[in-house]
Amino acid sequence: MTLTAENTTRWVTVDGHKLRYHEAGTGAPLVLLHGSGAGVSGWANFGANLQALSQHFRCLVLDQPGFGASGRPEVYERNYLRIASDAVLGLLDELGLEKAHLLGNSMGGGVATMTALDHPGRVDRLVLMAPGGVGVNILGPEPSEGINALMKFNADPTQANVLAWLKTMVFNPAVLTPELVEQRLKTASDPANIAALADAYATFYNPKMAEPLPLWARLRGLQQQTLLLHGRDDRVTPVEGSLFPARQLPNADLRIFSRCGHWVQVERKDAFERTVIDFLTHGL
């Protein structure tokens, strides 16, 4: 059966909010967590990979709170990573799953890392793809070129700005088909999506919501087998950001993909899928 967004859609209620997720496959549970791009959703990030990954795992592709079709608190009173981490745990609880593999892209990598650090018994293996907040950017600007383009687009969602942002996401601009650009412009221009992204990012810069220690300072406590994936030409979360966690994490390997920007699962789709399947099946 061909997997589509419609025939894989499921719903769960966590902390009074309806969350959408996509489910396919059998086997060890694998929760896939999207990044924070404008108009993003679980399906937009991982829908094209679901056919391959679901042959090996019970894939659960979550729309994190406020993104995609998932509900959200009206006001964020905690760091967004904590809100999203609680949603992951709530999904596992509602499905009766004791533990699962976590695969997180960008912001989703930060969510996966926080979940594994705070609830190690609920997380099996980790795949962190250009993870946000896990590395330390010591050479490039902060915020990065890609994050600045994203914030500019979110403030003024024009076609020119969405194209400028999307170009920072990839190595090969040919990936950016007119259909992809139009779809992202449509979803990202929705006022609810604009507010969700702005509100989530506001929690990252609010001193009152800051964590006692940043994620990168806690990495030695992460015992799970971890695979770090990074595009060599990433302009959103530069590849140098994975060097620190690759050295600090006690059980981690790092793979760097050439000819690839921030979307490893898109630009190096086949290699990404083979690498993830091998790691989650056999380990390091």
Side-chain angles (χ1 to χ4, degrees), residues 183-201:
Q183 180 59 34
R184 274 305 176 98
L185 180 63
K186 178 181 178 181
T187 57
S189 300
D190 185 297
N193 291 337
I194 292 173
L197 180 61
D199 290 351
Y201 267 77

Side-chain angles (χ1 to χ4, degrees), residues 172-212:
N172 181 5
V175 171
L176 305 175
T177 63
E179 293 78 15
L180 187 153
V181 174
E182 184 61 31
Q183 180 59 34
R184 274 305 176 98
L185 180 63
K186 178 181 178 181
T187 57
S189 300
D190 185 297
N193 291 337
I194 292 173
L197 180 61
D199 290 351
Y201 267 77
T203 72
F204 300 150
Y205 298 105
N206 187 338
K208 296 180 180 179
M209 298 183 188
E211 292 291 308

Side-chain angles (χ1 to χ4, degrees), residues 11-273:
W11 296 91
V12 66
T13 299
V14 175
D15 293 332
H17 300 287
K18 287 187 67 177
L19 304 180
R20 181 178 70 179
Y21 68 99
H22 301 274
E23 180 172 0
T26 59
L30 168 61
V31 179
L32 297 99
L33 300 168
H34 60 74
S36 62
V40 75
S41 67
W43 186 265
N45 254 196
F46 298 112
N49 309 113
L50 202 54
Q51 200 78 43
L53 296 180
S54 65
Q55 301 301 310
H56 302 267
F57 312 105
R58 180 184 178 186
C59 295
L60 307 166
V61 185
L62 178 66
D63 283 357
Q64 296 176 73
F67 290 91
S70 287
R72 52 163 284 191
E74 186 174 345
V75 177
Y76 290 143
E77 297 180 343
R78 296 179 298 149
N79 187 291
Y80 182 81
L81 295 185
R82 292 218 164 269
I83 293 171
S85 177
D86 285 351
V88 173
L89 295 170
L91 174 68
L92 297 182
D93 289 342
E94 289 296 319
L95 297 180
L97 298 173
E98 180 181 350
K99 65 186 338 183
H101 301 306
L102 300 185
L103 189 161
N105 169 221
S106 199
M107 180 188 74
V111 174
T113 301
M114 177 174 283
T115 305
L117 283 166
D118 293 344
H119 305 275
R122 306 300 301 274
V123 179
D124 198 341
R125 294 175 182 157
L126 281 173
V127 179
L128 304 178
M129 183 167 58
V134 178
V136 181
N137 188 7
I138 59 173
L139 298 177
E142 184 66 39
S144 68
E145 176 191 3
I147 294 298
N148 280 328
L150 171 60
M151 293 297 97
K152 181 178 179 180
F153 168 70
N154 208 53
D156 183 19
T158 65
Q159 187 164 11
N161 284 344
V162 74
L163 188 58
W165 163 60
L166 287 171
K167 283 182 177 178
T168 71
M169 302 291 284
V170 298
F171 170 75
N172 181 5
V175 171
L176 305 175
T177 63
E179 293 78 15
L180 187 153
V181 174
E182 184 61 31
Q183 180 59 34
R184 274 305 176 98
L185 180 63
K186 178 181 178 181
T187 57
S189 300
D190 185 297
N193 291 337
I194 292 173
L197 180 61
D199 290 351
Y201 267 77
T203 72
F204 300 150
Y205 298 105
N206 187 338
K208 296 180 180 179
M209 298 183 188
E211 292 291 308
L213 286 174
L215 285 177
W216 58 262
R218 302 175 59 195
L219 293 181
R220 285 189 179 273
L222 191 67
Q223 298 300 312
Q224 283 88 349
Q225 290 190 32
T226 303
L227 179 64
L228 293 156
L229 307 178
H230 221 124
R232 183 189 62 192
D233 306 287
D234 194 329
R235 293 151 65 190
V236 178
T237 307
V239 67
E240 68 188 74
S242 276
L243 300 180
F244 183 81
R247 187 65 183 89
Q248 292 292 304
L249 288 168
N251 298 299
D253 281 355
L254 167 62
R255 176 169 177 180
I256 296 174
F257 294 78
S258 63
R259 310 180 313 282
C260 186
H262 195 57
W263 287 341
V264 178
Q265 81 280 24
V266 174
E267 291 196 274
R268 297 295 305 276
K269 179 179 180 295
D270 292 344
F272 164 80
E273 291 165 359

